[in-house]
Amino acid sequence: MVIIAIIGIGLLIFVHEFGHFIAAKLMKIEVNEFMLGLPGPKLFKFKRKETTYGVTALLLGGYVKFADSKGSKNSKHLFELQPIWKKITVILAGPLMNFILPIFLATTVFLIGVPYPTNTIKHTLQGFPAEKVGFQSGDKIVEINGAKVSEWSEIIKIIRANPNKEVEFVVLRNDKRVALKTTLAEKDSIGFLGVETKLETRSLGLVGSIKEGVTWTFAVFKEMLKLFYKLITQQLDTFFKEARSPIGIVSEATQVARESFLDFLMFLSIISLNLTIVNLIPIPPLDGGIVLIFLAEKIRKKPVDASKLAIIQAVGMTLLLILMLYVIFSDIMRLLPQVSPGW
């Protein structure tokens, strides 16, 4: 399971780098290398036109190496000499791919099938209206206040809209219609019946799965942006507590993978969306920081001095390394109780 988790996390990094690569190719920018794996000893490689493709021994992720003025025969295809819009497009293509990937992963999950609540009662919760009025396991709700219902989404909508109100249910029990009238409870300002429903796995079909995958991705991304903004602006201490290093992410991914492969795919989707947001932070050497430098060059109408750029990137990398070391230490301290022999 650890290997599956590592491969999954590596996929997110590889997809990010593939975004840079494919955008560069579309812009006719020369790419020297595109590798599966982090920079290191190459297990195998092959060359097609000007680009060397291959796999390195460090299989976590991937990388793109653009041609420089020393190794290129055609300077007009160098990344550094491209107009700013091309350079920004190539840089932003990485985070964009991290946003697109969850759409495919979520669509796959919805296509395979996910658990959906039905209108059949699994059991009642003690002390709530359903138990008091006599709902039983296996009852199928077919009517509320004289209106036919067939989906749990319809039922829950009516229940939530009627706190402290009397509602009449009709259920099928052993193929017989049984009427049950009760006053709904109120919980968090909405109506509450007090039942747990049976679940069934449903595939939404190709079109429905794509639609739900897109909807889910945009909804989660929107909520993550709100949470990220809130953490940064109001709860910075919580942000540092909740931040995870690769060690922590792989640990959590391993736990999710043990429980369900489909849950693991959704977990990867969430991590990928998180990478989208993090990479857009305007701090070099993150993609957002690089874009910020390009924009500064455009405004100043001249390149940022190489020595100053090196300092900016060094400071940014130092800050990121300090943060990474902090979250790695936090993850190790958090994981130690799980592996300690109990002394």
Side-chain angles (χ1 to χ4, degrees), residues 335-343:
L335 292 171
L336 276 178
Q338 300 178 23
V339 298
S340 68
W343 58 75

Coordinates of all heavy atoms in Angstrom, one line a residue, residues 335-343:
L335 N 3.7 10.9 13.8 CA 3.7 9.5 13.5 C 4.4 8.6 14.5 O 4.1 7.4 14.6 CB 4.4 9.3 12.1 CG 3.6 9.8 10.9 CD1 4.5 9.7 9.6 CD2 2.3 9.1 10.7
L336 N 5.3 9.2 15.3 CA 6.0 8.4 16.3 C 5.1 7.6 17.2 O 5.4 6.4 17.5 CB 7.0 9.3 17.1 CG 8.3 9.5 16.5 CD1 9.1 10.5 17.4 CD2 9.1 8.3 16.2
P337 N 4.0 8.2 17.8 CA 3.2 7.4 18.7 C 2.6 6.1 18.0 O 2.2 5.2 18.6 CB 2.0 8.4 19.0 CG 2.7 9.7 18.9 CD 3.6 9.6 17.7
Q338 N 2.4 6.2 16.6 CA 1.8 5.1 15.9 C 2.8 3.9 15.7 O 2.4 2.8 15.6 CB 1.4 5.5 14.5 CG 0.3 6.6 14.6 CD -0.1 7.1 13.2 OE1 0.1 6.4 12.2 NE2 -0.5 8.3 13.1
V339 N 4.1 4.2 15.8 CA 5.1 3.2 15.6 C 5.9 2.8 16.8 O 6.7 1.9 16.8 CB 6.1 3.6 14.4 CG1 5.3 3.8 13.2 CG2 6.8 4.8 14.8
S340 N 5.7 3.6 17.9 CA 6.5 3.3 19.1 C 6.0 2.0 19.8 O 4.9 1.6 19.7 CB 6.3 4.4 20.1 OG 5.0 4.5 20.6
P341 N 7.0 1.2 20.4 CA 6.6 0.0 21.0 C 5.9 0.1 22.3 O 5.5 -0.9 22.9 CB 8.0 -0.7 21.2 CG 8.9 0.5 21.4 CD 8.4 1.6 20.5
G342 N 5.6 1.3 22.8 CA 4.8 1.5 23.9 C 5.5 1.8 25.2 O 5.0 1.7 26.3
W343 N 6.8 2.2 25.1 CA 7.5 2.6 26.3 C 7.1 3.9 26.8 O 6.5 4.7 26.1 CB 9.0 2.6 26.0 CG 9.5 3.5 25.0 CD1 9.6 4.9 25.0 CD2 9.8 3.1 23.6 NE1 10.0 5.4 23.8 CE2 10.2 4.3 22.9 CE3 10.0 1.9 22.9 CZ2 10.6 4.4 21.6 CZ3 10.4 2.0 21.6 CH2 10.7 3.2 21.0

